[in-house]
Amino acid sequence: MEQASKGKEFPAAFLLLTLLFSYILTGILLAFLAFFLYKLGLGEKVVSVAIVVIYVACTFLAGLMAGKKMKSRRFLWGLLIGGAYFLVLAVVSLVAGKGDMGLGNRFFTTLVLCAGGGMLGGMVS
């Protein structure tokens, strides 16, 4: 009976580790983007698109990792990772002083992209 309940545990440690991995990867990729912005003088639109691509790619990889580990309902685990990624991103943005982040188009677009990237990663796994 203990084994049956053991398999249904919520793997919080693994999910936090996956989330940490996705944020470390995000930081590395954003640092590269900043370097290219400095060296090449990239335009605002290029940087905005690159940031969105980085968010989607990192949540996709995190969803892929979560889906491989969980084996069942992988798309839901990917969606959970993508949503958690967005939640942390939104909280850090608010705390960092970007207090004008309201519930506008950009907020929901980023939510959908992060959650969708994670869910797609979970589905592909």
Side-chain angles (χ1 to χ4, degrees):
M1 186 138 151
E2 284 182 32
Q3 288 178 345
S5 66
K6 222 178 199 184
K8 295 185 181 192
E9 276 184 25
F10 184 75
F14 173 75
L15 294 176
L16 288 175
L17 189 63
T18 303
L19 199 58
L20 179 65
F21 164 77
S22 66
Y23 271 108
I24 290 171
L25 183 60
T26 300
I28 291 169
L29 292 175
L30 287 176
F32 278 125
L33 180 61
F35 174 75
F36 288 131
L37 176 64
Y38 175 71
K39 287 294 185 182
L40 303 176
L42 301 174
E44 184 178 339
K45 289 191 182 223
V46 173
V47 172
S48 294
V49 169
I51 289 171
V52 167
V53 168
I54 288 170
Y55 288 166
V56 172
C58 291
T59 55
F60 176 83
L61 290 174
L64 189 71
M65 288 174 55
K68 291 244 186 240
K69 172 77 173 173
M70 303 316 288
K71 307 265 193 244
S72 67
R73 295 186 179 162
R74 296 176 294 195
F75 69 98
L76 287 176
W77 290 107
L79 182 67
L80 177 72
I81 288 290
Y85 181 94
F86 172 77
L87 184 65
V88 171
L89 186 69
V91 168
V92 168
S93 294
L94 288 172
V95 169
K98 203 171 184 184
D100 62 341
M101 185 177 142
L103 296 177
N105 271 349
R106 184 173 237 161
F107 182 85
F108 288 113
T109 302
T110 306
L111 170 62
V112 169
L113 288 172
C114 290
M119 186 170 66
L120 185 62
M123 288 169 39
V124 169
S125 67

